[in-house]
Structures are given as C-alpha cells and as structure tokens.
Amino acid sequence: MITPLKRARGLGSAKEGPEHFMRQRLTAALNLVLVPFAVGLIATLAGADLSAVKATIARPIVAILLIALVLSIAVHMRIGMQVVIEDYVHDEGAKMLLLLANTVFAFGVAAIAIFAVLKLSFGG
Amino acid sequence: MAEASSRHAARERPLSPHLQIYRPEINMVMSVFHRLTGIALYFGALLLAWWLFAAATGPQYFAFVNGLFATWPGMIVLVGYTWALIHHMLGGLRHFVWDTGSSLDVASVDVLSWATIILSLLLTAALWLYIAVERGWVAAWQ
C-alpha cells in the first residue's frame, strides 16, 4: 500500500530498494522482445557456415539488438542472482564474495558477448 | 526486561512450518521452477557468449563448437535451455499480471500457474517442431 505521504517522499522506510524492483521489470520487458528475436536469429543461423553468420550479425540492426540483449540480460540476471544469494547465504564474508563473483560473472559474460558481436561486425 | 529477552533468545524456539510440511501447491512449485530456470539461464548465458565468441574466433573453432551443440547431449542442453527461457518468460508475464494487483485470488493463481507449465511445454515443443521442419530433419526421417 502506498500512502500519499510515501508517494510524496518517493521511498519507503528503507530509503532504497525500489530501483532494483523497477530495473528488474524494465529489463524483463526488454527481454520479452529481445530474447525471442535472438532465439529466432540463432535458430536460423545454427549450422550455417561462418561467412553467413558474419554477414547476418554484421548488419547494424542485428548487431545493435544483440548488444542491447546482452546488456539487458546481464543486468537482469545479476539482480536475480543477487536475490538468490541474499536469500540463502547468511555468512557475511561468503555473501560479499558471492555478490562480487556475481557482478564479475554478469559483466564478464556481457563483455565476451559484446566483444564477439563487435568483432563480427567490424573485424573484416 | 533485558534479562527476560535474552533468556527467550537463548531458548531453541520452534520455527514456523516451512517447505517440509506443506503439500506442494502448483503456484509454489511454479515459483520454485521460476527461480531454478532463472539460475539455469544465468549459467546458460555463457553458452550464448561462447557461441558468439566462437564465431568471432574463426571458422575452425566455430565448426568445433557447432559440432558440440549438434551432438545428442548438446541438443538436450539446447532443448532444456529453450524450455527454461520460455518457462521463465511465461513466469515473468504472470508476475507482470500480479504486479498490477489483479488475478491474485486462489482460482486465478491456480489457472495462471498451470498455464505457465503447460504453455511452456507446448511452446517449447512447437519451437523445436518448427526447427525440425525448417532444417529438414522431419523429411530425413520419412
């Protein structure tokens, strides 16, 4: 329940938190469009030879949507795994390490995928 | 006062009944599935990055990785991956409905939860049937 006072202040007593909730739903909505696009793309390209794959991914609209997808899923899965870690890991040290690993994994996967799309686009 | 509360804290108090005691309800099972598919997709994202990286590396390595995905274990992983994607996506749609505050009565919750699992299986089957027809696997069997 949001009372008018809370709405005026924007946040509940925790002073923070809704941005994760909102970001998770924003990226979910983006994924709703981008994931079917990527599944369709990969289903068409699977088994094709590299020159055909390169030609398709090098098209600006395809490359841009793929990079947007990678960014959106990286943000979404990082928040999701953070919730899982916070739910089940109660030792402070282990929790901090896992949250750090979570960030490294999400951004690492995104970095690899974006590098690959850029190389397929510009790599000649 | 302080003494009393510390005495209470020291005693092993009973916890409220949790997973072990409830008969599984479909919405509870779908909630677990949503989390599990989310965790699977988290690691599955590596497969997407790996496939793109293989394509960016060169024809030989790309052919090698494609070959791995084309094996039976590889195909099973891919079918599981697409089911997890579709199931998590439908679960997300269900949460979007609930976020608006609608369909929170028991009957609607049951319908939406059953719809998640049934539709996810149907859509996954439809996707792979389409892929099989497109790629001529069906014709190859006849």
Side-chain angles (χ1 to χ4, degrees):
Chain A
M1 288 299 128
I2 295 179
T3 65
L5 180 63
K6 274 185 185 166
R7 200 191 296 275
R9 290 181 178 161
L11 301 165
S13 59
K15 305 288 183 286
E16 59 175 17
E19 65 277 353
H20 264 188
F21 178 93
M22 294 313 292
R23 200 177 298 155
Q24 196 66 337
R25 273 142 191 85
L26 172 69
T27 50
L30 287 171
N31 290 344
L32 220 46
V33 178
L34 294 170
V35 169
F37 158 76
V39 169
L41 180 78
I42 292 164
T44 344
L45 288 179
D49 63 33
L50 186 53
S51 57
V53 173
K54 222 177 222 175
T56 305
I57 293 180
R59 288 174 57 202
I61 185 66
V62 175
I64 289 167
L65 287 176
L66 276 179
I67 290 171
L69 165 83
V70 168
L71 290 173
S72 181
I73 63 172
V75 170
H76 189 87
M77 73 192 212
R78 177 167 172 265
I79 297 173
M81 187 55 80
Q82 180 176 339
V83 172
V84 172
I85 293 167
E86 288 167 348
D87 277 356
Y88 303 130
V89 183
H90 302 303
D91 177 82
E92 278 303 314
K95 183 160 73 182
M96 283 304 145
L97 269 180
L98 284 173
L99 289 176
L100 186 68
N102 180 36
T103 301
V104 170
F105 182 84
F107 289 170
V109 167
I112 292 168
I114 290 171
F115 163 78
V117 172
L118 292 177
K119 185 157 184 260
L120 287 164
S121 298
F122 300 122
Chain B
M1 193 66 178
E3 244 173 60
S5 64
S6 71
R7 218 173 45 236
H8 277 293
R11 207 191 304 157
E12 281 285 323
R13 303 198 65 83
L15 297 167
S16 62
H18 196 42
L19 288 177
Q20 309 91 312
I21 204 159
Y22 285 129
R23 183 171 57 85
E25 301 278 351
I26 188 63
N27 58 320
M28 171 178 157
V29 176
M30 286 307 105
S31 174
V32 173
F33 274 33
H34 193 70
R35 179 158 283 201
L36 289 180
T37 50
I39 293 170
L41 292 170
Y42 180 89
F43 295 103
L46 259 185
L47 295 182
L48 172 67
W50 185 33
W51 186 75
L52 287 169
F53 186 79
T57 301
Q60 262 185 333
Y61 190 60
F62 188 56
F64 167 70
V65 170
N66 272 335
L68 285 182
F69 281 125
T71 61
W72 275 110
M75 296 290 284
I76 290 167
V77 167
L78 288 180
V79 171
Y81 193 179
T82 51
W83 171 74
L85 268 177
I86 291 169
H87 192 277
H88 198 77
M89 189 172 283
L90 291 171
L93 280 172
R94 190 175 42 131
H95 278 286
F96 271 135
V97 172
W98 285 339
D99 283 347
T100 67
S102 99
S103 308
L104 285 165
D105 59 294
V106 174
S108 305
V109 164
D110 280 354
V111 168
L112 284 178
S113 301
W114 277 112
T116 313
I117 183 69
I118 293 169
L119 273 179
S120 74
L121 293 171
L122 287 178
L123 286 174
T124 307
L127 174 69
W128 281 94
L129 189 65
Y130 174 79
I131 292 173
V133 171
E134 274 292 287
R135 307 187 65 75
W137 299 341
V138 175
W141 285 335
Q142 283 167 352

